[in-house]
Amino acid sequence: MLSGTLLPVLIYHSLVSAWLGMGIVALIATMLTWNAWIASDTWQKSENSSYKGEALSFKDLSKPQMMTLGLILSAYTFNAIGYLPHTLFWVDYIVRELKMSFVSGGLYWATFGIGAMIGAILTGLLSHSVWAERQCAFIIGTVHSTYQP
């Protein structure tokens, strides 16, 4: 959200102010969540008696776990390849070709982000309330009907 609302305002001042502003936001977020990281670490120690503080390695995963992890990473990668470039070019088009302000482009970007968040939440809720087969058939049918020549 901040990349679509705060960053365009800061970039009007200078590129340095945009970088400093985002650095300050990251610092504040780190300070606000610092105790949560410590609580998470102590929870892992109390829940898992064999936890010795060292990080798990990919070598510790079973073959099905590695396959699952690989498929999830592939899905996220192809999802990003699919939507990220054209949304970046869309905002660039809004700012440069339509001669709208950085703030307008940022608001379009933030609106897209809100839609992506809400879409993920609604998909999760639908998967619990509607049969998964019907949901997948609906999504595939919608995408297929949208991209027909």
mmCIF file of all heavy atoms in Angstrom, residues 95-139:
data_model
loop_
_atom_site.group_PDB
_atom_site.id
_atom_site.type_symbol
_atom_site.label_atom_id
_atom_site.label_comp_id
_atom_site.label_asym_id
_atom_site.label_seq_id
_atom_site.Cartn_x
_atom_site.Cartn_y
_atom_site.Cartn_z
ATOM 1 N N VAL A 95 1.203 7.212 -16.209
ATOM 2 C CA VAL A 95 1.991 8.393 -15.860
ATOM 3 C C VAL A 95 2.575 9.070 -17.100
ATOM 4 O O VAL A 95 2.466 10.288 -17.261
ATOM 5 C CB VAL A 95 3.105 8.020 -14.863
ATOM 6 C CG1 VAL A 95 4.056 9.174 -14.622
ATOM 7 C CG2 VAL A 95 2.500 7.549 -13.543
ATOM 8 N N ARG A 96 3.173 8.298 -17.998
ATOM 9 C CA ARG A 96 3.892 8.922 -19.124
ATOM 10 C C ARG A 96 3.003 9.222 -20.322
ATOM 11 O O ARG A 96 3.110 10.289 -20.921
ATOM 12 C CB ARG A 96 5.050 8.034 -19.559
ATOM 13 C CG ARG A 96 6.127 7.957 -18.513
ATOM 14 C CD ARG A 96 7.272 7.148 -19.017
ATOM 15 N NE ARG A 96 8.166 6.834 -17.897
ATOM 16 C CZ ARG A 96 9.421 6.525 -18.064
ATOM 17 N NH1 ARG A 96 9.935 6.473 -19.265
ATOM 18 N NH2 ARG A 96 10.173 6.254 -17.021
ATOM 19 N N GLU A 97 2.165 8.286 -20.710
ATOM 20 C CA GLU A 97 1.372 8.475 -21.927
ATOM 21 C C GLU A 97 0.100 9.278 -21.678
ATOM 22 O O GLU A 97 -0.270 10.117 -22.488
ATOM 23 C CB GLU A 97 1.027 7.120 -22.554
ATOM 24 C CG GLU A 97 2.237 6.327 -22.982
ATOM 25 C CD GLU A 97 3.034 6.997 -24.093
ATOM 26 O OE1 GLU A 97 2.415 7.628 -24.978
ATOM 27 O OE2 GLU A 97 4.271 6.896 -24.062
ATOM 28 N N LEU A 98 -0.565 8.999 -20.570
ATOM 29 C CA LEU A 98 -1.792 9.729 -20.263
ATOM 30 C C LEU A 98 -1.516 11.027 -19.515
ATOM 31 O O LEU A 98 -2.441 11.769 -19.202
ATOM 32 C CB LEU A 98 -2.757 8.849 -19.461
ATOM 33 C CG LEU A 98 -3.232 7.573 -20.159
ATOM 34 C CD1 LEU A 98 -4.175 6.794 -19.260
ATOM 35 C CD2 LEU A 98 -3.889 7.889 -21.488
ATOM 36 N N LYS A 99 -0.245 11.250 -19.172
ATOM 37 C CA LYS A 99 0.200 12.481 -18.505
ATOM 38 C C LYS A 99 -0.504 12.709 -17.164
ATOM 39 O O LYS A 99 -0.779 13.835 -16.788
ATOM 40 C CB LYS A 99 -0.004 13.699 -19.407
ATOM 41 C CG LYS A 99 0.588 13.579 -20.783
ATOM 42 C CD LYS A 99 2.054 13.899 -20.775
ATOM 43 C CE LYS A 99 2.562 14.040 -22.196
ATOM 44 N NZ LYS A 99 3.404 12.977 -22.637
ATOM 45 N N MET A 100 -0.770 11.623 -16.474
ATOM 46 C CA MET A 100 -1.339 11.737 -15.137
ATOM 47 C C MET A 100 -0.180 11.804 -14.140
ATOM 48 O O MET A 100 0.958 11.493 -14.461
ATOM 49 C CB MET A 100 -2.267 10.560 -14.851
ATOM 50 C CG MET A 100 -3.488 10.525 -15.771
ATOM 51 S SD MET A 100 -4.529 9.093 -15.515
ATOM 52 C CE MET A 100 -5.476 9.628 -14.116
ATOM 53 N N SER A 101 -0.459 12.197 -12.920
ATOM 54 C CA SER A 101 0.583 12.385 -11.915
ATOM 55 C C SER A 101 1.077 11.046 -11.369
ATOM 56 O O SER A 101 0.431 10.009 -11.537
ATOM 57 C CB SER A 101 0.048 13.234 -10.768
ATOM 58 O OG SER A 101 -0.951 12.521 -10.067
ATOM 59 N N PHE A 102 2.242 11.113 -10.697
ATOM 60 C CA PHE A 102 2.761 9.929 -10.010
ATOM 61 C C PHE A 102 1.773 9.452 -8.954
ATOM 62 O O PHE A 102 1.629 8.257 -8.719
ATOM 63 C CB PHE A 102 4.099 10.236 -9.332
ATOM 64 C CG PHE A 102 5.265 10.239 -10.262
ATOM 65 C CD1 PHE A 102 6.036 11.366 -10.413
ATOM 66 C CD2 PHE A 102 5.604 9.109 -10.977
ATOM 67 C CE1 PHE A 102 7.121 11.377 -11.262
ATOM 68 C CE2 PHE A 102 6.687 9.097 -11.833
ATOM 69 C CZ PHE A 102 7.443 10.244 -11.979
ATOM 70 N N VAL A 103 1.103 10.394 -8.315
ATOM 71 C CA VAL A 103 0.124 10.034 -7.277
ATOM 72 C C VAL A 103 -1.014 9.229 -7.891
ATOM 73 O O VAL A 103 -1.455 8.229 -7.331
ATOM 74 C CB VAL A 103 -0.390 11.299 -6.554
ATOM 75 C CG1 VAL A 103 -1.487 10.945 -5.572
ATOM 76 C CG2 VAL A 103 0.759 11.999 -5.837
ATOM 77 N N SER A 104 -1.493 9.649 -9.066
ATOM 78 C CA SER A 104 -2.560 8.903 -9.743
ATOM 79 C C SER A 104 -2.094 7.495 -10.101
ATOM 80 O O SER A 104 -2.810 6.513 -9.873
ATOM 81 C CB SER A 104 -2.997 9.622 -11.018
ATOM 82 O OG SER A 104 -3.559 10.855 -10.723
ATOM 83 N N GLY A 105 -0.883 7.403 -10.664
ATOM 84 C CA GLY A 105 -0.336 6.082 -10.973
ATOM 85 C C GLY A 105 -0.181 5.228 -9.733
ATOM 86 O O GLY A 105 -0.483 4.035 -9.748
ATOM 87 N N GLY A 106 0.261 5.846 -8.657
ATOM 88 C CA GLY A 106 0.397 5.114 -7.398
ATOM 89 C C GLY A 106 -0.933 4.641 -6.847
ATOM 90 O O GLY A 106 -1.037 3.536 -6.312
ATOM 91 N N LEU A 107 -1.955 5.471 -6.986
ATOM 92 C CA LEU A 107 -3.283 5.059 -6.511
ATOM 93 C C LEU A 107 -3.835 3.902 -7.341
ATOM 94 O O LEU A 107 -4.488 3.006 -6.809
ATOM 95 C CB LEU A 107 -4.233 6.246 -6.508
ATOM 96 C CG LEU A 107 -3.938 7.299 -5.434
ATOM 97 C CD1 LEU A 107 -4.889 8.490 -5.574
ATOM 98 C CD2 LEU A 107 -4.051 6.706 -4.033
ATOM 99 N N TYR A 108 -3.576 3.916 -8.649
ATOM 100 C CA TYR A 108 -3.983 2.773 -9.473
ATOM 101 C C TYR A 108 -3.237 1.515 -9.028
ATOM 102 O O TYR A 108 -3.816 0.428 -8.959
ATOM 103 C CB TYR A 108 -3.709 3.041 -10.952
ATOM 104 C CG TYR A 108 -4.785 3.861 -11.620
ATOM 105 C CD1 TYR A 108 -4.582 5.204 -11.916
ATOM 106 C CD2 TYR A 108 -6.012 3.299 -11.956
ATOM 107 C CE1 TYR A 108 -5.559 5.961 -12.532
ATOM 108 C CE2 TYR A 108 -6.998 4.048 -12.569
ATOM 109 C CZ TYR A 108 -6.773 5.374 -12.861
ATOM 110 O OH TYR A 108 -7.748 6.106 -13.462
ATOM 111 N N TRP A 109 -1.949 1.664 -8.746
ATOM 112 C CA TRP A 109 -1.140 0.533 -8.275
ATOM 113 C C TRP A 109 -1.671 0.012 -6.937
ATOM 114 O O TRP A 109 -1.796 -1.197 -6.733
ATOM 115 C CB TRP A 109 0.314 0.981 -8.155
ATOM 116 C CG TRP A 109 1.240 -0.091 -7.682
ATOM 117 C CD1 TRP A 109 1.685 -0.285 -6.412
ATOM 118 C CD2 TRP A 109 1.820 -1.123 -8.475
ATOM 119 N NE1 TRP A 109 2.520 -1.371 -6.366
ATOM 120 C CE2 TRP A 109 2.621 -1.903 -7.619
ATOM 121 C CE3 TRP A 109 1.749 -1.465 -9.817
ATOM 122 C CZ2 TRP A 109 3.336 -2.995 -8.067
ATOM 123 C CZ3 TRP A 109 2.475 -2.554 -10.254
ATOM 124 C CH2 TRP A 109 3.253 -3.297 -9.383
ATOM 125 N N ALA A 110 -1.996 0.922 -6.014
ATOM 126 C CA ALA A 110 -2.527 0.518 -4.707
ATOM 127 C C ALA A 110 -3.887 -0.155 -4.853
ATOM 128 O O ALA A 110 -4.183 -1.130 -4.150
ATOM 129 C CB ALA A 110 -2.622 1.731 -3.783
ATOM 130 N N THR A 111 -4.707 0.360 -5.771
ATOM 131 C CA THR A 111 -6.016 -0.254 -6.013
ATOM 132 C C THR A 111 -5.858 -1.678 -6.522
ATOM 133 O O THR A 111 -6.571 -2.589 -6.100
ATOM 134 C CB THR A 111 -6.823 0.586 -7.020
ATOM 135 O OG1 THR A 111 -6.936 1.917 -6.519
ATOM 136 C CG2 THR A 111 -8.189 0.007 -7.262
ATOM 137 N N PHE A 112 -4.906 -1.870 -7.423
ATOM 138 C CA PHE A 112 -4.610 -3.221 -7.910
ATOM 139 C C PHE A 112 -4.181 -4.120 -6.752
ATOM 140 O O PHE A 112 -4.610 -5.271 -6.651
ATOM 141 C CB PHE A 112 -3.517 -3.170 -8.982
ATOM 142 C CG PHE A 112 -3.132 -4.511 -9.505
ATOM 143 C CD1 PHE A 112 -3.894 -5.132 -10.485
ATOM 144 C CD2 PHE A 112 -2.021 -5.169 -9.014
ATOM 145 C CE1 PHE A 112 -3.542 -6.384 -10.965
ATOM 146 C CE2 PHE A 112 -1.664 -6.412 -9.486
ATOM 147 C CZ PHE A 112 -2.426 -7.021 -10.473
ATOM 148 N N GLY A 113 -3.345 -3.601 -5.862
ATOM 149 C CA GLY A 113 -2.880 -4.378 -4.708
ATOM 150 C C GLY A 113 -4.014 -4.750 -3.767
ATOM 151 O O GLY A 113 -4.077 -5.865 -3.263
ATOM 152 N N ILE A 114 -4.923 -3.805 -3.543
ATOM 153 C CA ILE A 114 -6.086 -4.098 -2.693
ATOM 154 C C ILE A 114 -6.939 -5.185 -3.327
ATOM 155 O O ILE A 114 -7.400 -6.111 -2.661
ATOM 156 C CB ILE A 114 -6.903 -2.814 -2.434
ATOM 157 C CG1 ILE A 114 -6.106 -1.863 -1.543
ATOM 158 C CG2 ILE A 114 -8.246 -3.136 -1.798
ATOM 159 C CD1 ILE A 114 -6.709 -0.468 -1.459
ATOM 160 N N GLY A 115 -7.120 -5.080 -4.645
ATOM 161 C CA GLY A 115 -7.887 -6.111 -5.357
ATOM 162 C C GLY A 115 -7.226 -7.474 -5.268
ATOM 163 O O GLY A 115 -7.897 -8.495 -5.099
ATOM 164 N N ALA A 116 -5.903 -7.500 -5.370
ATOM 165 C CA ALA A 116 -5.187 -8.772 -5.256
ATOM 166 C C ALA A 116 -5.330 -9.359 -3.856
ATOM 167 O O ALA A 116 -5.492 -10.568 -3.691
ATOM 168 C CB ALA A 116 -3.710 -8.566 -5.597
ATOM 169 N N MET A 117 -5.292 -8.498 -2.834
ATOM 170 C CA MET A 117 -5.467 -8.963 -1.454
ATOM 171 C C MET A 117 -6.878 -9.520 -1.237
ATOM 172 O O MET A 117 -7.050 -10.611 -0.697
ATOM 173 C CB MET A 117 -5.241 -7.797 -0.487
ATOM 174 C CG MET A 117 -4.050 -7.934 0.370
ATOM 175 S SD MET A 117 -3.806 -6.588 1.564
ATOM 176 C CE MET A 117 -4.969 -5.354 1.204
ATOM 177 N N ILE A 118 -7.862 -8.753 -1.664
ATOM 178 C CA ILE A 118 -9.254 -9.175 -1.478
ATOM 179 C C ILE A 118 -9.535 -10.443 -2.274
ATOM 180 O O ILE A 118 -10.225 -11.351 -1.800
ATOM 181 C CB ILE A 118 -10.218 -8.036 -1.862
ATOM 182 C CG1 ILE A 118 -10.083 -6.904 -0.847
ATOM 183 C CG2 ILE A 118 -11.654 -8.527 -1.936
ATOM 184 C CD1 ILE A 118 -10.823 -5.641 -1.233
ATOM 185 N N GLY A 119 -8.978 -10.525 -3.489
ATOM 186 C CA GLY A 119 -9.165 -11.723 -4.307
ATOM 187 C C GLY A 119 -8.622 -12.968 -3.638
ATOM 188 O O GLY A 119 -9.251 -14.030 -3.658
ATOM 189 N N ALA A 120 -7.444 -12.850 -3.023
ATOM 190 C CA ALA A 120 -6.855 -14.003 -2.334
ATOM 191 C C ALA A 120 -7.706 -14.417 -1.131
ATOM 192 O O ALA A 120 -7.928 -15.605 -0.891
ATOM 193 C CB ALA A 120 -5.433 -13.673 -1.898
ATOM 194 N N ILE A 121 -8.199 -13.432 -0.395
ATOM 195 C CA ILE A 121 -9.036 -13.742 0.772
ATOM 196 C C ILE A 121 -10.348 -14.388 0.338
ATOM 197 O O ILE A 121 -10.783 -15.396 0.906
ATOM 198 C CB ILE A 121 -9.286 -12.463 1.605
ATOM 199 C CG1 ILE A 121 -7.981 -12.007 2.247
ATOM 200 C CG2 ILE A 121 -10.361 -12.701 2.655
ATOM 201 C CD1 ILE A 121 -8.056 -10.627 2.868
ATOM 202 N N LEU A 122 -10.980 -13.828 -0.685
ATOM 203 C CA LEU A 122 -12.248 -14.395 -1.171
ATOM 204 C C LEU A 122 -12.065 -15.802 -1.723
ATOM 205 O O LEU A 122 -12.914 -16.668 -1.519
ATOM 206 C CB LEU A 122 -12.861 -13.488 -2.235
ATOM 207 C CG LEU A 122 -13.466 -12.190 -1.737
ATOM 208 C CD1 LEU A 122 -13.988 -11.362 -2.906
ATOM 209 C CD2 LEU A 122 -14.573 -12.459 -0.734
ATOM 210 N N THR A 123 -10.953 -16.028 -2.410
ATOM 211 C CA THR A 123 -10.678 -17.369 -2.920
ATOM 212 C C THR A 123 -10.539 -18.357 -1.766
ATOM 213 O O THR A 123 -11.059 -19.469 -1.824
ATOM 214 C CB THR A 123 -9.401 -17.369 -3.770
ATOM 215 O OG1 THR A 123 -9.561 -16.435 -4.836
ATOM 216 C CG2 THR A 123 -9.117 -18.735 -4.340
ATOM 217 N N GLY A 124 -9.850 -17.943 -0.700
ATOM 218 C CA GLY A 124 -9.724 -18.808 0.473
ATOM 219 C C GLY A 124 -11.059 -19.099 1.121
ATOM 220 O O GLY A 124 -11.352 -20.236 1.502
ATOM 221 N N LEU A 125 -11.898 -18.060 1.250
ATOM 222 C CA LEU A 125 -13.222 -18.265 1.837
ATOM 223 C C LEU A 125 -14.091 -19.153 0.960
ATOM 224 O O LEU A 125 -14.821 -20.017 1.463
ATOM 225 C CB LEU A 125 -13.911 -16.910 2.065
ATOM 226 C CG LEU A 125 -13.284 -16.011 3.136
ATOM 227 C CD1 LEU A 125 -13.953 -14.650 3.144
ATOM 228 C CD2 LEU A 125 -13.380 -16.672 4.503
ATOM 229 N N LEU A 126 -14.018 -18.948 -0.360
ATOM 230 C CA LEU A 126 -14.795 -19.789 -1.269
ATOM 231 C C LEU A 126 -14.360 -21.240 -1.201
ATOM 232 O O LEU A 126 -15.190 -22.141 -1.289
ATOM 233 C CB LEU A 126 -14.656 -19.279 -2.706
ATOM 234 C CG LEU A 126 -15.569 -18.154 -3.125
ATOM 235 C CD1 LEU A 126 -15.219 -17.693 -4.538
ATOM 236 C CD2 LEU A 126 -17.021 -18.576 -3.063
ATOM 237 N N SER A 127 -13.073 -21.463 -1.051
ATOM 238 C CA SER A 127 -12.585 -22.840 -1.013
ATOM 239 C C SER A 127 -13.093 -23.585 0.220
ATOM 240 O O SER A 127 -13.175 -24.807 0.203
ATOM 241 C CB SER A 127 -11.067 -22.875 -1.067
ATOM 242 O OG SER A 127 -10.522 -22.377 0.130
ATOM 243 N N HIS A 128 -13.447 -22.852 1.269
ATOM 244 C CA HIS A 128 -13.995 -23.508 2.459
ATOM 245 C C HIS A 128 -15.503 -23.669 2.392
ATOM 246 O O HIS A 128 -16.064 -24.526 3.058
ATOM 247 C CB HIS A 128 -13.628 -22.718 3.717
ATOM 248 C CG HIS A 128 -12.179 -22.754 4.037
ATOM 249 N ND1 HIS A 128 -11.508 -23.902 4.377
ATOM 250 C CD2 HIS A 128 -11.244 -21.781 4.045
ATOM 251 C CE1 HIS A 128 -10.239 -23.642 4.588
ATOM 252 N NE2 HIS A 128 -10.048 -22.355 4.392
ATOM 253 N N SER A 129 -16.167 -22.841 1.595
ATOM 254 C CA SER A 129 -17.628 -22.892 1.576
ATOM 255 C C SER A 129 -18.193 -23.572 0.336
ATOM 256 O O SER A 129 -19.323 -24.025 0.345
ATOM 257 C CB SER A 129 -18.197 -21.476 1.678
ATOM 258 O OG SER A 129 -17.805 -20.720 0.554
ATOM 259 N N VAL A 130 -17.450 -23.639 -0.724
ATOM 260 C CA VAL A 130 -17.917 -24.245 -1.969
ATOM 261 C C VAL A 130 -17.001 -25.411 -2.287
ATOM 262 O O VAL A 130 -15.822 -25.386 -1.963
ATOM 263 C CB VAL A 130 -17.880 -23.202 -3.124
ATOM 264 C CG1 VAL A 130 -18.350 -23.803 -4.421
ATOM 265 C CG2 VAL A 130 -18.694 -21.990 -2.763
ATOM 266 N N TRP A 131 -17.540 -26.408 -2.940
ATOM 267 C CA TRP A 131 -16.702 -27.546 -3.299
ATOM 268 C C TRP A 131 -15.541 -27.089 -4.160
ATOM 269 O O TRP A 131 -15.688 -26.267 -5.062
ATOM 270 C CB TRP A 131 -17.504 -28.585 -4.046
ATOM 271 C CG TRP A 131 -18.580 -29.243 -3.229
ATOM 272 C CD1 TRP A 131 -18.669 -29.284 -1.875
ATOM 273 C CD2 TRP A 131 -19.706 -29.929 -3.736
ATOM 274 N NE1 TRP A 131 -19.782 -29.961 -1.499
ATOM 275 C CE2 TRP A 131 -20.448 -30.378 -2.626
ATOM 276 C CE3 TRP A 131 -20.169 -30.220 -5.002
ATOM 277 C CZ2 TRP A 131 -21.605 -31.095 -2.756
ATOM 278 C CZ3 TRP A 131 -21.322 -30.940 -5.125
ATOM 279 C CH2 TRP A 131 -22.039 -31.376 -4.012
ATOM 280 N N ALA A 132 -14.401 -27.634 -3.910
ATOM 281 C CA ALA A 132 -13.192 -27.223 -4.631
ATOM 282 C C ALA A 132 -13.315 -27.497 -6.127
ATOM 283 O O ALA A 132 -12.846 -26.716 -6.942
ATOM 284 C CB ALA A 132 -11.973 -27.942 -4.056
ATOM 285 N N GLU A 133 -13.986 -28.598 -6.497
ATOM 286 C CA GLU A 133 -14.120 -28.917 -7.920
ATOM 287 C C GLU A 133 -14.929 -27.847 -8.637
ATOM 288 O O GLU A 133 -14.591 -27.428 -9.735
ATOM 289 C CB GLU A 133 -14.798 -30.278 -8.114
ATOM 290 C CG GLU A 133 -14.009 -31.448 -7.564
ATOM 291 C CD GLU A 133 -14.316 -31.726 -6.094
ATOM 292 O OE1 GLU A 133 -15.347 -31.243 -5.575
ATOM 293 O OE2 GLU A 133 -13.516 -32.423 -5.461
ATOM 294 N N ARG A 134 -16.002 -27.402 -8.032
ATOM 295 C CA ARG A 134 -16.838 -26.380 -8.662
ATOM 296 C C ARG A 134 -16.098 -25.052 -8.754
ATOM 297 O O ARG A 134 -16.213 -24.332 -9.732
ATOM 298 C CB ARG A 134 -18.137 -26.192 -7.884
ATOM 299 C CG ARG A 134 -19.097 -27.330 -8.077
ATOM 300 C CD ARG A 134 -20.425 -26.997 -7.464
ATOM 301 N NE ARG A 134 -21.334 -28.110 -7.643
ATOM 302 C CZ ARG A 134 -22.540 -28.155 -7.154
ATOM 303 N NH1 ARG A 134 -23.004 -27.135 -6.450
ATOM 304 N NH2 ARG A 134 -23.309 -29.193 -7.360
ATOM 305 N N GLN A 135 -15.337 -24.742 -7.728
ATOM 306 C CA GLN A 135 -14.577 -23.496 -7.740
ATOM 307 C C GLN A 135 -13.537 -23.513 -8.856
ATOM 308 O O GLN A 135 -13.412 -22.552 -9.610
ATOM 309 C CB GLN A 135 -13.895 -23.287 -6.398
ATOM 310 C CG GLN A 135 -13.106 -22.011 -6.323
ATOM 311 C CD GLN A 135 -12.374 -21.882 -5.006
ATOM 312 O OE1 GLN A 135 -12.472 -22.715 -4.141
ATOM 313 N NE2 GLN A 135 -11.619 -20.816 -4.877
ATOM 314 N N CYS A 136 -12.799 -24.600 -8.986
ATOM 315 C CA CYS A 136 -11.793 -24.697 -10.043
ATOM 316 C C CYS A 136 -12.446 -24.660 -11.420
ATOM 317 O O CYS A 136 -11.941 -24.008 -12.335
ATOM 318 C CB CYS A 136 -10.973 -25.973 -9.887
ATOM 319 S SG CYS A 136 -9.848 -25.912 -8.488
ATOM 320 N N ALA A 137 -13.565 -25.350 -11.577
ATOM 321 C CA ALA A 137 -14.266 -25.334 -12.862
ATOM 322 C C ALA A 137 -14.743 -23.923 -13.197
ATOM 323 O O ALA A 137 -14.661 -23.478 -14.342
ATOM 324 C CB ALA A 137 -15.440 -26.297 -12.827
ATOM 325 N N PHE A 138 -15.225 -23.190 -12.208
ATOM 326 C CA PHE A 138 -15.673 -21.816 -12.436
ATOM 327 C C PHE A 138 -14.506 -20.924 -12.869
ATOM 328 O O PHE A 138 -14.616 -20.147 -13.815
ATOM 329 C CB PHE A 138 -16.318 -21.258 -11.161
ATOM 330 C CG PHE A 138 -16.644 -19.794 -11.238
ATOM 331 C CD1 PHE A 138 -17.718 -19.348 -11.985
ATOM 332 C CD2 PHE A 138 -15.853 -18.870 -10.578
ATOM 333 C CE1 PHE A 138 -18.016 -18.001 -12.069
ATOM 334 C CE2 PHE A 138 -16.130 -17.518 -10.654
ATOM 335 C CZ PHE A 138 -17.228 -17.086 -11.399
ATOM 336 N N ILE A 139 -13.381 -21.038 -12.175
ATOM 337 C CA ILE A 139 -12.216 -20.213 -12.502
ATOM 338 C C ILE A 139 -11.701 -20.550 -13.899
ATOM 339 O O ILE A 139 -11.433 -19.654 -14.706
ATOM 340 C CB ILE A 139 -11.109 -20.390 -11.445
ATOM 341 C CG1 ILE A 139 -11.558 -19.771 -10.114
ATOM 342 C CG2 ILE A 139 -9.794 -19.775 -11.904
ATOM 343 C CD1 ILE A 139 -10.667 -20.092 -8.948
#
